[in-house]
Amino acid sequence: MRIQLKRYLGSLVFVFLLCLSVALGATAGVLFVYNSDLPQVNSLDDYRPSLITEVYADDGQVIGSFALERRIVVTSDQIPQVVKDAVVSVEDQNFYDHWGIDLYGIARASLKNMMAGRVVEGGSTLTQQLSKNLFLTPEQSFRRKIQEAMLSIQIERYYTKQQILTLYCNLHFMGHGQYGFAASAEYYFNKPLKDLNIEEAALLA
């Protein structure tokens, strides 16, 4: 009886290890294929987003402006803390703790979506959103989500949290042709980014 039990357990362990090896091999293969055509994230060092082109009169007054993407680029120091806190609170509460992917956030979102029977919450981190907006298409596919996750991990390796948050605040589409929080503050509230109060920052976020 003991011999049969040992044989049974041995076979069970063998099958488990075989399945695990196949799963790991398949995963490694998928990651290798999807990683082969990913862009280099260090290209962000040379990234120059499109800005507003302004036309001036002889006396120096602005008489017109043109832009496909109306954007005002700001540095990290020019983004008030209330705006940073609002973005992190709304988009990615674990932003300062994760490494590009928030496994807890994905699990939480999946549970809420299952309970609601539809998609009511996303599990993408702020870094994942940035990688999608910069490098990928908005298509909803397994391949794109895997590439998004891999790019996010690379971005977190090369750049600080403050650099990532600054890029997000400068590049994100905010409606009505406005890109970034600085341009949106002027468009929606007719004031510079530094003068936003907590309610206005929360609304933009």
Side-chain angles (χ1 to χ4, degrees):
M1 186 67 178
R2 285 185 177 180
I3 295 176
Q4 289 180 336
L5 182 60
K6 286 183 178 180
R7 286 179 179 175
Y8 175 76
L9 290 176
S11 299
L12 198 61
V13 171
F14 174 77
V15 171
F16 172 76
L17 292 175
L18 180 63
C19 292
L20 182 62
S21 299
V22 171
L24 290 175
T27 301
V30 168
L31 293 178
F32 177 78
V33 170
Y34 287 178
N35 187 58
S36 61
D37 59 348
L38 284 180
Q40 296 297 314
V41 297
N42 54 11
S43 63
L44 285 176
D45 292 338
D46 303 317
Y47 180 72
R48 297 293 181 270
S50 59
L51 303 174
I52 301 169
T53 299
E54 294 182 328
V55 179
Y56 292 86
D58 290 339
D59 60 359
Q61 295 294 316
V62 176
I63 59 174
S65 62
F66 306 91
L68 293 175
E69 298 180 0
R70 188 177 185 281
R71 178 185 287 109
I72 301 171
V73 174
V74 291
T75 65
S76 178
D77 293 337
Q78 293 172 320
I79 303 174
Q81 190 61 44
V82 66
V83 171
K84 294 178 180 179
D85 292 342
V87 172
V88 171
S89 177
V90 171
E91 291 293 339
D92 188 357
Q93 295 181 13
N94 298 321
F95 174 65
Y96 292 106
D97 300 318
H98 64 65
W99 35 273
I101 301 173
D102 183 6
L103 298 179
Y104 173 75
I106 293 173
R108 183 188 65 241
S110 300
L111 181 60
K112 287 187 177 181
N113 293 338
M114 281 194 300
M115 293 176 64
R118 58 188 177 89
V119 177
V120 295
E121 182 177 325
S124 294
T125 64
L126 193 148
T127 314
Q128 285 177 271
Q129 294 180 50
L130 181 65
S131 66
K132 178 183 70 175
N133 292 336
L134 283 172
F135 299 114
L136 303 172
T137 63
E139 67 169 321
Q140 296 293 327
S141 68
F142 177 75
R143 179 187 179 90
R144 204 269 295 162
K145 290 299 291 184
I146 293 294
Q147 289 183 322
E148 178 186 291
M150 295 171 72
L151 279 170
S152 299
I153 294 172
Q154 290 187 45
I155 290 173
E156 292 273 352
R157 286 179 57 200
Y158 280 98
Y159 299 96
T160 66
K161 292 290 186 179
Q162 287 302 323
Q163 288 174 313
I164 294 170
L165 184 57
T166 301
L167 276 169
Y168 182 90
C169 287
N170 278 319
L171 300 177
H172 200 66
F173 176 60
M174 306 291 285
H176 296 281
Q178 310 301 307
Y179 285 78
F181 280 69
S184 301
E186 291 190 359
Y187 181 82
Y188 292 112
F189 302 114
N190 196 30
K191 61 171 64 174
L193 184 64
K194 64 182 179 64
D195 293 338
L196 290 184
N197 59 38
I198 188 170
E199 292 82 9
E200 293 163 341
L203 183 60
L204 287 183

